[in-house]
Amino acid sequence: MDWEFTEDGAFLALCDAFRESGETSAIEFLANGEGAFHFQELTQNAAGEGIDLSDSDSLDDFQQNVIDTMESLCQD
């Protein structure tokens, strides 16, 4: 994937919301309303950047990459 999603505004908002939530698990945070909203926005931005997330394997890989990145970069 050539797109650096960590620089996208939706990812930055996702990180901020994750920090503010006090949640320790990124996957649990993405399962709730605010986390899901930001993740959906991020996937839409990915599509706009030409990233094909139309099949479930690609979407799963992208989601896992976001989760791993959130847990390494977005926790205090």
Side-chain angles (χ1 to χ4, degrees):
M1 173 171 28
D2 293 334
W3 178 55
E4 185 57 50
F5 69 86
T6 58
E7 297 173 2
D8 187 87
F11 181 77
L12 298 174
L14 180 63
C15 271
D16 288 344
F18 181 51
R19 282 187 198 106
E20 292 172 8
S21 74
E23 181 66 62
T24 57
S25 167
I27 197 164
E28 292 293 326
F29 180 70
L30 291 180
N32 80 37
E34 187 174 9
F37 169 79
H38 290 298
F39 182 73
Q40 181 177 0
E41 185 178 1
L42 185 60
T43 60
Q44 290 171 346
N45 291 353
E49 292 292 326
I51 307 301
D52 183 9
L53 300 174
S54 61
D55 70 83
S56 61
D57 288 339
S58 296
L59 183 57
D60 288 347
D61 290 345
F62 179 70
Q63 184 176 26
Q64 189 59 53
N65 195 7
V66 169
I67 289 167
D68 293 344
T69 303
M70 286 175 65
E71 289 182 343
S72 68
L73 295 180
C74 303
Q75 291 181 323
D76 292 329

